[in-house]
Amino acid sequence: MGKGKGYGKTILFGEHFVVYGLEGIPAALGVTTTCEVKPIDGENGYNLIDNRPATPGYKEEKKFEYSALISRILEYLQVPEKLEITLGGDLVPASGIGASAATAASLARAISEEYKMNWNDEQINKAAFEGETAGSGTPSGIDNTVAVYGGFLVFQKNLAGGANKMDLIKVKKPIEIVLGNSGLTALTKEVVGDVKKLKESEPARIGKVFEEYTKLVKEAQSALKRYDLKKVGELMNKNHSLLQQITVSCKELDEIVDTARSAGAYGAKLTGTGRGGLVIALTPGKELQEKVAKAIEAKGYKASRTVIG
Ligand code: MEV
């Protein structure tokens, strides 16, 4: 039997700004999807046993996306026979945490192990990207790269259409975080569209926000490399304020951010699309993590405890 795993992801810095070609910093979460493969009778294809702890309705909703993803990877890796594929792990699939990329990475690793292909991370990443392309259209490559390598990434979209920049930042040890859930969902396309309109209607003011972010993300990279977590937290707070200025936060996200900071988080900001979804709070150490998670829960929101890096 071949085994593999892939990491989930979160955005530490740069949602929305990355759309305009500025650098962003996504990070691997300490939750993973695992995959086991074993050959069964049959010439090709697969039987899927999906034991991932998904929210109700998720697996049914994503059925076609996942079947395209799996078929593409089997084809790309030229698997010569039928497989039983068992997915598991502690990553709870939800939008914005790179669940399909984690699956793709875990499957490619499991196949490489089963058939003694000895693929390195770069080859696994290419296979996972192939799977993502079949499953979800035109991915940037952020999710599969984080799913394969873990750690932090400096990501920059190439607006001219060439390869995107993806540099890994390795840190000395993973950092505890809390993800607070607003319980609301927003459509990425709509929110991204509103930012575009705002940018066009107020070029001077919004241009300044973009300039500030450009400086901030450089400082964030050097703070992460130094493992200066106080500074990283401070920059997350600033990043949240810039996101408020481009109108992608909302009352619930702001409440979670304020609650996390009051409970001692080094920093807190919305993560992902905004106007709903999640807040990431930087809470080094188990004790602080628990304190912040409990404070968020006391306000009636769900909170999950994990690590980044
Ligand atoms: C959504 O998770 C991140 C956005 O920056 C959109 C994107 O990068 O495609 C809001």
Side-chain angles (χ1 to χ4, degrees):
M1 181 190 294
K3 292 182 183 176
K5 70 172 186 180
Y7 299 98
K9 77 117 211 305
T10 183
I11 299 178
L12 192 57
F13 292 98
E15 46 280 282
H16 291 286
F17 297 105
V18 293
V19 172
Y20 298 89
L22 304 187
E23 290 175 338
I25 308 183
L29 290 170
V31 287
T32 56
T33 290
T34 59
C35 179
E36 290 177 3
V37 299
K38 109 175 155 207
I40 51 175
D41 280 348
E43 280 183 10
N44 51 35
Y46 63 92
N47 280 352
L48 178 65
I49 303 168
D50 190 349
N51 292 332
R52 292 174 305 157
T55 41
Y58 177 90
K59 290 177 194 172
E60 193 52 35
E61 209 177 288
K62 298 271 179 177
K63 204 163 135 186
F64 293 108
E65 193 181 308
Y66 274 91
S67 85
L69 179 151
I70 293 171
S71 302
R72 184 80 189 102
I73 291 179
L74 297 185
E75 195 186 310
Y76 185 76
L77 295 176
Q78 301 183 344
V79 174
E81 56 203 334
K82 192 166 176 175
L83 289 182
E84 181 178 273
I85 299 171
T86 307
L87 298 178
D90 55 357
L91 184 155
V92 182
S95 63
I97 71 163
S100 65
T103 298
S106 68
L107 175 62
R109 283 201 192 284
I111 294 171
S112 168
E113 186 177 292
E114 174 63 27
Y115 294 100
K116 312 214 173 359
M117 293 157 68
N118 285 323
W119 276 29
N120 62 25
D121 284 350
E122 199 183 327
Q123 290 168 305
I124 296 287
N125 198 26
K126 283 205 177 117
F129 181 76
E130 280 295 320
E132 282 271 274
T133 308
S136 48
T138 50
S140 62
I142 283 195
D143 286 14
N144 52 279
T145 305
V146 174
V148 169
Y149 290 93
F152 296 86
L153 213 63
V154 178
F155 174 86
Q156 188 170 28
K157 187 170 166 180
N158 185 337
L159 297 183
N164 298 322
K165 169 170 141 180
M166 281 184 244
D167 294 338
L168 281 168
I169 304 179
K170 282 280 174 199
V171 297
K172 63 182 179 197
K173 74 180 171 71
I175 312 161
E176 284 79 9
I177 59 154
V178 176
L179 291 174
N181 194 334
S182 69
L184 306 170
T185 44
L187 287 177
T188 301
K189 212 170 147 186
E190 226 170 80
V191 185
V192 168
D194 285 352
V195 173
K196 183 164 183 271
K197 276 187 228 146
L198 181 69
K199 208 168 171 283
E200 283 163 3
S201 66
E202 293 187 62
R205 186 173 72 86
I206 302 302
K208 275 216 176 89
V209 175
F210 274 62
E211 270 169 37
E212 272 185 60
Y213 174 77
T214 308
K215 277 189 242 147
L216 184 154
V217 72
K218 288 285 179 213
E219 284 184 62
Q221 288 166 45
S222 77
L224 268 173
K225 285 178 191 158
R226 297 193 309 272
Y227 209 72
D228 181 348
L229 301 186
K230 287 269 185 214
K231 185 71 188 176
V232 173
E234 190 189 300
L235 293 167
M236 286 169 70
N237 290 341
K238 278 198 190 151
N239 192 168
H240 185 72
S241 139
L242 299 179
L243 289 164
Q244 286 174 317
Q245 292 175 53
I246 60 169
T247 74
V248 300
S249 192
C250 63
K251 159 165 105 9
E252 292 79 359
L253 289 171
D254 289 344
E255 184 179 36
I256 300 174
V257 162
D258 291 342
T259 305
R261 288 180 194 160
S262 305
Y266 284 24
K269 63 178 274 293
L270 71 88
T271 178
T273 299
R275 295 198 190 152
L278 304 175
V279 163
I280 176 172
L282 195 73
T283 56
K286 287 251 176 263
E287 206 177 305
L288 180 58
Q289 183 184 45
E290 196 51 37
K291 187 167 171 233
V292 169
K294 286 229 167 82
I296 293 172
E297 284 163 351
K299 295 272 174 172
Y301 299 102
K302 288 213 166 85
S304 49
R305 299 130 173 98
T306 182
V307 291
I308 46 173

